[in-house]
Amino acid sequence: ATCSCTSSSRKKGREAERQLAKVSISTFYTYKGSVVRSLVYRGISLRRTLQDQGAKVIEVYPHATAVLLFVEDNVPPRGTPEKGQFLKARLGQHIAWLKPHDRLINESACNALLSALTAWLYIHGKTQELGDEKEGLITIPETTSPPQSPQEP
């Protein structure tokens, strides 16, 4: 996979990342020296593989989903012990089948659930896309109130 990892403008990061920053949602800017560079290349490779198999692929950002869905609360910073506990508590309020498995859930699992929730919202037409299509769009929830979440599978 190759990535120019450059913006279509002379500004820092991609347009989607700048739009997130404008609404005070922290992010890592994508550029050639980015700390998330290896993840960018991995994501590009996975996207191509999935698209080659006919899948629709969207880019999501779980931290943005948490901030937008739990806006009335102050979401703790990424990577802190408080963040995992916060996410478990908030997600447990909306995903009933999560509570019995609470001890098995860490921040990474919460991020996976937030990503899946964003995809579920996308399927139900309750998301918006940020950014420039040439650079890559980020899909986020369109609402600031928690949705009716899917029931146990």
Side-chain angles (χ1 to χ4, degrees):
T2 59
C3 172
S4 64
C5 296
T6 57
S7 169
S8 60
S9 79
R10 293 180 172 235
K11 297 177 183 175
K12 182 178 179 181
R14 299 183 301 160
E15 178 61 27
E17 296 156 348
R18 291 191 300 274
Q19 288 176 337
L20 287 168
K22 283 180 186 175
V23 294
S24 301
I25 297 176
S26 62
T27 185
F28 292 110
Y29 287 102
T30 305
Y31 60 97
K32 285 189 180 214
S34 173
V35 296
V36 295
R37 183 178 179 189
S38 64
L39 291 175
V40 169
Y41 284 106
R42 182 172 171 224
I44 290 168
S45 176
L46 287 170
R47 182 199 75 218
R48 287 185 179 147
T49 299
L50 292 168
Q51 286 176 330
D52 288 348
Q53 295 174 8
K56 167 68 176 161
V57 179
I58 60 172
E59 179 180 349
V60 301
Y61 181 35
H63 179 70
T65 297
V67 169
L68 293 168
L69 293 181
F70 309 130
V71 71
E72 68 278 357
D73 301 315
N74 188 14
V75 178
R78 292 183 311 257
T80 62
E82 297 81 17
K83 175 82 179 271
Q85 293 301 317
F86 172 89
L87 291 176
K88 277 199 283 192
R90 295 312 178 280
L91 286 168
Q93 293 171 358
H94 303 287
I95 304 173
W97 52 266
L98 183 64
K99 289 185 184 197
H101 308 287
D102 185 66
R103 62 181 170 73
L104 303 173
I105 305 295
N106 61 18
E107 184 177 347
S108 293
C110 288
N111 285 335
L113 288 167
L114 287 164
S115 296
L117 180 57
T118 307
W120 184 82
L121 291 168
Y122 174 83
I123 289 167
H124 289 85
K126 297 185 181 298
T127 58
Q128 63 184 42
E129 294 178 314
L130 301 180
D132 177 333
E133 205 165 334
K134 293 177 199 168
E135 298 175 338
L137 301 170
I138 296 176
T139 302
I140 60 170
E142 71 178 9
T143 181
T144 58
S145 59
Q148 294 295 326
S149 299
Q151 300 302 309
E152 185 170 353

